[in-house]
Amino acid sequence: MRYLYLTLMAAAFASCTAYVPQETLDAKPHILTDVPITTANASPGNVQVFFNGELPHEPYYKMKLIEVSASAYRSNAAFLDKLKEQAAREGMDGLLLDGLNENQVVRNAWRDGYDPLLQRHLTAVGIRFKRTIHVDKIVKQQSLKVWGAGVSAPVNCDLTFNLHGQCKLGSRLADSLFSIEIYPYAASEIAYGHQPGWAYMQSEEIPKTGAMRNSDLLGLNSHYKYNDKWQLSGIEVARPVDFTGTSGKKIKQVLTVQYDDKQQLIKKTLYRNNAVEWIEMMTYDDTGRLAATERYKMNGDQKQVLLQSTLSYYTAGDLPEAEPGR
């Protein structure tokens, strides 16, 4: 562990990115506001449509453009149903639409290289009501205390996150801690958002194949394994022996997880060559959010603390000002 904290000061940093099933935050294309889409509106019947300048009767956010194409011969009702279905898939509460006929574009498409096919293309503004935006599970700040080998006093630093769960650039130490010591081992106790600088791979058969996240810049790779209930069962991590990029050799680590009777992840154990490198314990608040973690290793009967973190979360008061409605 000693080399890890020596390299933190010199390592090049990268924020992270990846998808695993517990992560629900992402920067979507066509975003019109910085407000996150935190939950999905699964039913098209719940999507409200506001025509020709009509506005909701409550505060709302313009989120993104919703676009659909279909045969020009479909009825307006069928076309509107298709638009609402797309809006529901993209997590919208409603649509601002300037009419069906005025808003559409009719264009020629070609089928089989010679058969003309008329298509209609329709765009609306997808909206979310302020009351349906819940940010209380998005981490706003993670305060860290880190102990190096033979050091009695910890180093303190704070990690801050935007509303999309992405770690903001801070000090070199903070960025390195997050990218090297926190994110590769993050499991289902917390939902970090997709981060720049990492890549991900996933399969529709996640319990069989797992999910991958990796950073080419850092040479780090995390392979998430799941049981047949789609619950995280462990992580396999490959990381450089050193982060100077000179040796090219990799360390292979295996992280195991333990859940309580509420299915909250309460313990992570990291192994290297079947020997325990560290143990991390989690505590939760009354609403089920991760409140604090402590990472330590055992030297005989002595517990040596390596890292402690406490977390604070966004509130509705942190959201930007919404459109007032009418």
Side-chain angles (χ1 to χ4, degrees), residues 23 40 106 111 149 172 215 218 225 228:
E23 292 177 329
V106 179
R111 182 172 52 195
R172 181 175 288 269
S215 166
L218 292 174
K225 298 295 188 70
D228 56 5

Side-chain angles (χ1 to χ4, degrees), residues 32 61-66 92 94-97 123-127:
L32 301 178
Y61 294 103
K62 294 178 181 178
M63 302 296 290
K64 61 189 304 182
L65 298 180
I66 306 297
M92 298 297 107
L95 293 166
L96 303 181
L97 181 61
T123 301
V125 176
I127 65 171

Side-chain angles (χ1 to χ4, degrees), residues 164-186:
H164 295 281
Q166 296 172 324
C167 189
K168 298 179 183 179
L169 295 180
S171 68
R172 181 175 288 269
L173 175 61
D175 295 328
S176 297
L177 276 170
F178 183 62
S179 298
I180 297 172
E181 292 303 319
I182 305 288
Y183 193 68
Y185 309 101

Side-chain angles (χ1 to χ4, degrees), residues 34 107 127 152 158 207 210 219 298 303-304:
D34 195 41
R107 61 189 180 191
I127 65 171
S152 58
D158 293 330
M298 300 300 297
K303 176 181 175 181
Q304 179 186 345

Side-chain angles (χ1 to χ4, degrees), residues 25 138-139 161-167 178 191-195 314:
L25 303 174
I138 303 175
V139 176
F161 300 84
N162 64 22
L163 281 167
H164 295 281
Q166 296 172 324
C167 189
F178 183 62
Y192 292 122
H194 293 205
Q195 314 287 328
Y314 278 97

Side-chain angles (χ1 to χ4, degrees), residues 69-244:
S69 296
S71 166
Y73 304 107
R74 296 186 68 173
S75 68
N76 283 343
F79 208 83
L80 184 59
D81 285 343
K82 183 178 177 68
L83 190 67
K84 291 171 67 176
E85 289 172 3
Q86 183 63 29
R89 278 195 294 269
E90 300 194 37
M92 298 297 107
D93 291 325
L95 293 166
L96 303 181
L97 181 61
D98 289 333
L100 279 172
N101 294 321
E102 295 82 359
N103 188 269
Q104 67 180 305
V105 175
V106 179
R107 61 189 180 191
N108 283 321
W110 288 88
R111 182 172 52 195
D112 300 327
Y114 61 88
D115 185 12
L117 176 67
L118 288 178
Q119 282 195 318
R120 298 166 63 185
H121 180 77
L122 188 65
T123 301
V125 176
I127 65 171
R128 284 289 297 265
F129 303 128
K130 185 175 182 179
R131 62 178 168 82
T132 71
I133 301 291
H134 304 292
V135 296
D136 57 318
K137 294 188 183 299
I138 303 175
V139 176
K140 184 176 183 179
Q141 181 170 295
Q142 190 169 2
S143 297
L144 304 176
K145 292 184 177 181
V146 184
W147 284 262
V151 177
S152 58
V155 174
N156 300 310
C157 70
D158 293 330
L159 306 175
T160 57
F161 300 84
N162 64 22
L163 281 167
H164 295 281
Q166 296 172 324
C167 189
K168 298 179 183 179
L169 295 180
S171 68
R172 181 175 288 269
L173 175 61
D175 295 328
S176 297
L177 276 170
F178 183 62
S179 298
I180 297 172
E181 292 303 319
I182 305 288
Y183 193 68
Y185 309 101
S188 55
E189 80 278 14
I190 189 168
Y192 292 122
H194 293 205
Q195 314 287 328
W198 285 61
Y200 69 93
M201 291 182 291
Q202 64 173 358
S203 166
E204 303 223 345
E205 299 181 343
I206 280 180
K208 294 182 180 179
T209 62
M212 303 283 289
R213 58 163 61 148
N214 68 280
S215 166
D216 289 337
L217 177 61
L218 292 174
L220 270 165
N221 178 281
S222 297
H223 185 187
Y224 284 67
K225 298 295 188 70
Y226 297 85
N227 59 28
D228 56 5
K229 296 179 180 179
W230 288 58
Q231 184 183 54
L232 181 71
S233 59
I235 308 173
E236 296 177 355
V237 178
R239 58 185 293 157
V241 171
D242 64 81
F243 287 93
T244 63

